[in-house]
Amino acid sequence: YVLGIKRHLGLPDKMHVLDRWAGARPNHRQEYHVEEVAALIIKDLITRAEEELDKRITRLVATYPPMFAADRREGMRRAFKKAFEMLGRELKDEDLVMELDEATSGTFNYIYGTMMEQFRRFNVTSEKNHLLAFDFGGGTTDIALVTAEIKRVEGGRIAINTHLRGLTGEADFGGDNVTL
């Protein structure tokens, strides 16, 4: 069981992992850098997704906590690349998209899903919503306030405009704290 691994990405932290060979084999490795542990988890998720989709995954879109500094996001990037190395593949920089934080991406999921569906279903020409996304994750708590406006424009096309009004979070408080 690994607790709050994402919190340690980008930091020089190491973790001790006990397994069935702990103390039984001389020089058995039990200390891992957090990015290696994260890569093992990511590798497993990729493997499961490929089995479910019956396709090889070659590109990834990943989100991150909004309060993660650049070095923490870079730690996530290294973990994704290491996971692909473990699978015997290379993940190129252009094949890993990390452009949105977790809370804002949640609002986009709502805008391009629920809001668009309702907009198409009803004979509405314009709709504007103020969305507050609250992401209570395992290691972080994040909040985004986004204004979204959908309009029918010339030629029957639909235009979507979004404006990020606010973004904040707590990088070291989440569900793991509640569990503890």
Side-chain angles (χ1 to χ4, degrees):
Y1 180 72
V2 178
L3 185 66
I5 191 76
K6 185 169 65 173
R7 288 182 183 187
H8 301 276
L9 288 170
L11 302 174
D13 299 354
K14 296 195 178 220
M15 303 194 87
H16 295 278
V17 179
L18 299 178
D19 59 21
R20 61 182 170 180
W21 297 290
R25 294 184 177 171
N27 301 322
H28 178 65
R29 183 174 178 202
Q30 292 183 258
E31 186 178 81
Y32 297 86
H33 189 276
V34 292
E35 290 171 13
E36 291 177 287
V37 177
L40 288 168
I41 295 166
I42 293 166
K43 178 184 83 86
D44 186 58
L45 292 171
I46 291 168
T47 301
R48 288 183 195 184
E50 287 179 339
E51 288 171 2
E52 181 75 23
L53 297 169
D54 197 28
K55 284 185 173 184
R56 185 175 237 196
I57 293 173
T58 58
R59 299 190 71 215
L60 293 175
V61 175
T63 59
Y64 52 87
M67 297 296 110
F68 260 25
D71 60 336
R72 308 280 297 272
R73 290 192 305 270
E74 190 55 38
M76 285 184 73
R77 184 175 291 284
R78 285 191 299 269
F80 280 109
K81 287 185 167 206
K82 194 176 293 287
F84 268 74
E85 286 174 20
M86 291 174 176
L87 292 165
R89 301 182 234 159
E90 180 187 5
L91 180 64
K92 296 177 185 160
D93 286 336
E94 61 267 17
D95 293 331
L96 176 57
V97 178
M98 289 180 57
E99 296 178 5
L100 274 180
D101 65 87
E102 294 166 351
T104 305
S105 68
T107 64
F108 285 163
N109 181 54
Y110 180 80
I111 293 164
Y112 288 94
T114 305
M115 231 173 124
M116 278 293 287
E117 182 183 319
Q118 290 173 350
F119 189 78
R120 285 186 177 126
R121 210 175 330 145
F122 302 107
N123 193 19
V124 180
T125 56
S126 179
E127 183 177 349
K128 184 175 184 178
N129 284 313
H130 301 286
L131 307 169
L132 179 67
F134 178 77
D135 175 15
F136 186 68
T140 64
T141 301
D142 310 304
I143 299 171
L145 178 61
V146 175
T147 299
E149 187 172 10
I150 301 177
K151 297 187 216 186
R152 293 192 195 281
V153 293
E154 196 174 304
R157 293 183 25 231
I158 296 173
I160 300 174
N161 292 309
T162 60
H163 180 72
L164 179 63
R165 300 279 181 188
L167 181 64
T168 191
E170 176 55 52
D172 293 311
F173 183 79
D176 287 345
N177 299 96
V178 174
T179 301
L180 291 172

